[in-house]
Amino acid sequence: MKVPFACLAWMMLFPMLTMTNLAAAWEALPEEAPAPADNPPSAAKIELGKMLFFDPRFSSTGTVSCSSCHNVMEGGDDHRSTSIGVHGVKGGRNSPTVYNAAFHSVQFWDGRAATLEDQAKGPVVNPVEMGMSDLQAAIDRIAAIPGYKAYFDAAFGPDDSVSMDNAAKAIATYERTLITPDSPYDQYVKGDLNAISPEAVAGMELFQATGCTSCHSGPAFNGPSLPMGTGFIMKFPIFPDAALVEKFDLEADAGRYVATGVESDRYMWRVPTLRNLVYTAPYLHNGAVKTLPEVVTLMAKLQLNKELTEAETLNIVAFLETLTGTFPEQTMPRLPPTPGDLLD
Amino acid sequence: MKVPFACLAWMMLFPMLTMTNLAAAWEALPEEAPAPADNPPSAAKIELGKMLFFDPRFSSTGTVSCSSCHNVMEGGDDHRSTSIGVHGVKGGRNSPTVYNAAFHSVQFWDGRAATLEDQAKGPVVNPVEMGMSDLQAAIDRIAAIPGYKAYFDAAFGPDDSVSMDNAAKAIATYERTLITPDSPYDQYVKGDLNAISPEAVAGMELFQATGCTSCHSGPAFNGPSLPMGTGFIMKFPIFPDAALVEKFDLEADAGRYVATGVESDRYMWRVPTLRNLVYTAPYLHNGAVKTLPEVVTLMAKLQLNKELTEAETLNIVAFLETLTGTFPEQTMPRLPPTPGDLLD
């Protein structure tokens, strides 16, 4: 494989990291996502998880479900800069796509949850997301819908099956089915050299040569495949151009520091997947950047201290557009009926 | 057919109406819903309509779709007493189910829309529902999503296909597929005498004998099948027991009068369907009544001035429970991607 000069320079800077990336370069997305040993997948868990994922009764007002901010009918996010939850209150960060989240080794923008199971419990009790007072209140709500019991039993056996842990396991199991293999890029790296355009091929080479792969490597372009719970966390911005930082308000949110209080976590963020970017605008943790050309230019400048020409940017965008995969065709879940006194 | 004394008494009071009801008694739900001559159904309209029905980008904040208040994954309503739209603001009335709405000859609780096509345009510009400033802004939003054009063209031809009228036609066409035939009741009236329990049969006879069928007749139990736009509108309450009116706040909303300003429309309401009541609690225009036994008792008292025994009530409830039909299995729509500057 030809290694361009810019990439060599990068290798000298971060030799270990870059070698890893090169070894793992241009991987297709697996057809299945990894699951933790204590939550093996099953059809019954997937079915229950899909029901719970789409059930707005999991929120205080009965109006917000997981799918409200992670709309699997579109890109797995909510196409807003930052999300709106119960009572119409805006959250502080851009909703990350649930598609291919199973290929992240940690969850949330700041990586504060180790697994999809842990993540699933977060928004339910976030006051500006689903707004339940606590996890007990959340599972009490679900337990008060009699039709759910049979589905929990089928997934987890009859003993105390209706629990928040099991609900989270079911949701996570469903989310592990939300993967999008077989993009033009995947077809290309599997050998179909006509699957992507010459511009995209040029963009792919440039994507590596520019150094984008130092973070955006691996099958989901979110870093190397790491054991669940590990986290591939990077600083952003690395080269904080003052004008750009101000324009896009990039330091208003201290990132992982907010979760840990550790000074070295300031402006540290989990590297997001680049798959299906066409579906997940606007971009960045605060949704401040509206288009792919803008975000490519910005990331080159702020992370790699490089100025891309317009032609280079457009080639990289052409490459990124080949990362749109095949979204699974899904039937709608049927949710069990609501007792009349469940909500106001 | 045996006509109980109570029903004969009712016939003397309203002879024309009751004869109509008897002639039309115990009809199964048709397998297809009627469509207006200027909007014949097609697969392309259904597909586009389903996309638009589930698209939250039709609302000002991008968070509320038709399915938010008419959740077809459950009972076609939102299981709240009154709905919550954009900005978390509560509406004034209970969300009517979209299932079998195609069998209503007018739409909304007060019948102010003649067709599903007209109805579809209402919530989009209602400030506490989807909150778009006007219909032009709503269709401009959809037109700004480039992926929609091909679907509008397929449904309506290539000339000026992306219009609010066509969007409403597509949504209405999709809604006409949201019907639930083949309930145990339907099987029973088609000749399967074991399809419902003896209690339900007793309840069915009592439902007619008590006089419930004077309003709740026809295949959808929302009155006789009338030409689209006609409206089967009744007063509620007819016998306004002061204590019950106060307890359930039944006269706070003047009903059809609010839409027409005509004094004779005060407390007039479209007769709702009774199909799938198990899925559509809480009940009444304000969602004030939580359970089926309560609402049956209340309606007998307020509309027919009758006191039902507990046993009679439970039999009628057993009958109403047989009206839960077969919900269509549906695939999820795939929504076209969002340009990054579409929403805040």
Side-chain angles (χ1 to χ4, degrees):
Chain A
M1 184 176 285
K2 186 167 158 252
V3 180
F5 177 75
C7 198
L8 284 173
W10 194 253
M11 286 170 71
M12 284 181 282
L13 208 57
F14 297 112
M16 294 279 293
L17 188 65
T18 310
M19 291 309 287
T20 305
N21 290 339
L22 284 179
W26 310 139
E27 295 170 73
L29 197 72
E31 303 278 329
E32 282 190 14
D38 68 347
N39 190 22
S42 72
K45 286 184 197 172
I46 294 169
E47 184 178 15
L48 172 62
K50 183 161 73 170
M51 293 165 75
L52 294 169
F53 188 90
F54 278 95
D55 200 329
R57 295 170 294 190
F58 233 137
S59 63
S60 60
T61 53
T63 59
V64 176
S65 69
C66 305
S67 76
S68 297
C69 297
H70 302 286
N71 187 349
V72 299
M73 297 181 194
E74 201 224 350
D77 66 342
D78 65 359
H79 48 250
R80 292 185 45 86
S81 52
T82 61
S83 299
I84 291 182
V86 291
H87 310 305
V89 180
K90 260 196 220 181
R93 291 179 184 164
N94 183 261
S95 169
T97 178
V98 68
Y99 278 110
N100 306 308
F103 295 110
H104 282 299
S105 66
V106 289
Q107 302 298 328
F108 291 118
W109 268 102
D110 53 17
R112 69 184 183 276
T115 61
L116 287 171
E117 284 79 357
D118 286 348
Q119 190 281 332
K121 298 176 187 172
V124 175
V125 294
N126 185 318
V128 300
E129 297 186 35
M130 298 167 84
M132 296 301 288
S133 55
D134 54 44
L135 290 175
Q136 190 58 48
I139 196 62
D140 286 350
R141 176 73 72 71
I142 295 299
I145 301 168
Y148 263 122
K149 179 80 170 77
Y151 292 92
F152 276 88
D153 286 357
F156 297 102
D159 296 335
D160 298 325
S161 66
V162 185
S163 70
M164 195 63 211
D165 281 345
N166 284 345
K169 282 183 173 179
I171 291 170
T173 304
Y174 167 61
E175 290 174 335
R176 293 191 177 100
T177 70
L178 300 176
I179 65 178
T180 62
D182 206 33
S183 69
Y185 160 82
D186 293 303
Q187 295 168 31
Y188 180 79
V189 298
K190 285 177 178 174
D192 179 358
L193 298 181
N194 296 316
I196 71 175
S197 69
E199 292 73 25
V201 174
M204 189 170 163
E205 289 168 1
L206 203 51
F207 182 83
Q208 188 171 58
T210 306
C212 311
T213 47
S214 59
C215 286
H216 293 290
S217 62
F221 294 88
N222 60 346
S225 299
L226 298 171
M228 215 172 286
T230 311
F232 189 63
I233 312 282
M234 285 285 157
K235 191 168 185 207
F236 172 76
I238 293 176
F239 301 98
D241 177 277
L244 291 173
V245 167
E246 190 186 341
K247 180 176 177 189
F248 296 109
D249 202 19
L250 297 179
E251 293 182 347
D253 185 333
R256 192 168 167 82
Y257 171 81
V258 179
T260 66
V262 175
E263 189 54 44
S264 59
D265 282 338
R266 190 177 291 277
Y267 307 134
M268 295 295 280
W269 300 92
R270 183 192 65 172
V271 175
T273 181
L274 302 186
R275 287 192 174 261
N276 309 310
L277 282 178
V278 166
Y279 276 89
T280 61
Y283 305 106
L284 302 187
H285 62 269
N286 60 2
V289 180
K290 306 299 186 192
T291 70
L292 273 179
E294 265 184 298
V295 78
V296 166
T297 311
L298 186 80
M299 292 302 283
K301 181 72 186 156
L302 295 181
Q303 297 305 88
L304 301 163
N305 202 23
K306 291 189 179 162
E307 305 272 357
L308 296 175
T309 66
E310 195 183 333
E312 288 171 329
T313 299
L314 292 180
N315 281 345
I316 291 177
V317 168
F319 163 60
L320 294 173
E321 288 174 346
T322 71
L323 301 180
T324 303
T326 303
F327 293 90
E329 183 170 291
Q330 299 183 67
T331 56
M332 295 182 198
R334 285 282 334 137
L335 304 183
T338 308
D341 57 358
L342 193 75
L343 293 159
D344 287 339
Chain B
M1 185 174 289
K2 186 170 157 249
V3 180
F5 176 74
C7 197
L8 284 172
W10 194 253
M11 287 172 71
M12 284 183 280
L13 210 57
F14 297 113
M16 293 278 294
L17 187 63
T18 310
M19 291 310 288
T20 304
N21 291 340
L22 284 180
W26 310 139
E27 295 170 74
L29 198 72
E31 301 279 328
E32 283 190 14
D38 67 348
N39 189 24
S42 72
K45 284 184 198 172
I46 293 169
E47 184 178 14
L48 171 62
K50 184 161 71 171
M51 294 165 75
L52 295 169
F53 188 89
F54 278 94
D55 201 328
R57 297 171 293 190
F58 233 136
S59 64
S60 60
T61 53
T63 59
V64 177
S65 69
C66 305
S67 75
S68 297
C69 298
H70 302 286
N71 188 349
V72 299
M73 297 181 195
E74 201 224 350
D77 66 342
D78 65 359
H79 46 250
R80 289 185 47 84
S81 50
T82 62
S83 300
I84 290 183
V86 292
H87 311 306
V89 180
K90 262 196 219 181
R93 290 179 185 164
N94 183 260
S95 169
T97 179
V98 69
Y99 279 109
N100 306 309
F103 295 110
H104 282 299
S105 66
V106 290
Q107 302 299 328
F108 292 116
W109 269 102
D110 54 16
R112 67 185 185 275
T115 61
L116 287 171
E117 285 80 355
D118 285 349
Q119 189 280 333
K121 298 177 187 172
V124 175
V125 295
N126 185 319
V128 300
E129 297 185 34
M130 298 168 82
M132 297 300 289
S133 54
D134 54 43
L135 290 174
Q136 189 59 48
I139 196 62
D140 287 350
R141 174 73 71 73
I142 295 299
I145 301 168
Y148 263 121
K149 178 82 169 77
Y151 292 91
F152 276 89
D153 287 358
F156 297 103
D159 297 335
D160 299 323
S161 66
V162 185
S163 69
M164 195 63 212
D165 281 346
N166 284 344
K169 282 183 174 179
I171 291 170
T173 304
Y174 167 61
E175 290 174 334
R176 291 191 179 99
T177 70
L178 300 176
I179 65 178
T180 61
D182 206 33
S183 68
Y185 160 83
D186 293 302
Q187 295 167 31
Y188 180 80
V189 298
K190 285 176 177 175
D192 178 359
L193 297 183
N194 297 316
I196 70 176
S197 69
E199 291 74 24
V201 173
M204 188 170 164
E205 288 168 2
L206 204 51
F207 183 82
Q208 189 173 57
T210 307
C212 311
T213 45
S214 60
C215 285
H216 293 290
S217 62
F221 293 88
N222 60 347
S225 299
L226 299 171
M228 214 173 286
T230 310
F232 188 63
I233 313 282
M234 285 286 158
K235 193 170 183 203
F236 173 76
I238 293 176
F239 301 98
D241 176 277
L244 292 173
V245 167
E246 190 187 341
K247 178 176 180 189
F248 297 110
D249 202 19
L250 297 178
E251 293 183 347
D253 185 333
R256 192 169 166 81
Y257 172 81
V258 179
T260 66
V262 175
E263 190 53 45
S264 59
D265 283 338
R266 188 176 294 275
Y267 307 132
M268 295 294 280
W269 300 93
R270 181 192 67 172
V271 175
T273 179
L274 302 187
R275 286 191 175 262
N276 308 309
L277 281 179
V278 166
Y279 276 89
T280 61
Y283 304 106
L284 302 186
H285 62 268
N286 60 0
V289 180
K290 307 299 185 191
T291 70
L292 273 178
E294 267 184 297
V295 78
V296 166
T297 311
L298 186 80
M299 293 302 283
K301 181 73 185 155
L302 294 181
Q303 296 305 89
L304 301 162
N305 201 24
K306 291 189 179 163
E307 306 272 357
L308 295 175
T309 67
E310 196 184 333
E312 288 171 329
T313 299
L314 292 179
N315 281 344
I316 291 178
V317 167
F319 163 61
L320 294 173
E321 288 174 346
T322 71
L323 300 180
T324 303
T326 302
F327 293 90
E329 183 168 291
Q330 300 184 65
T331 56
M332 295 183 198
R334 285 282 334 139
L335 305 183
T338 309
D341 58 357
L342 192 75
L343 292 159
D344 287 339

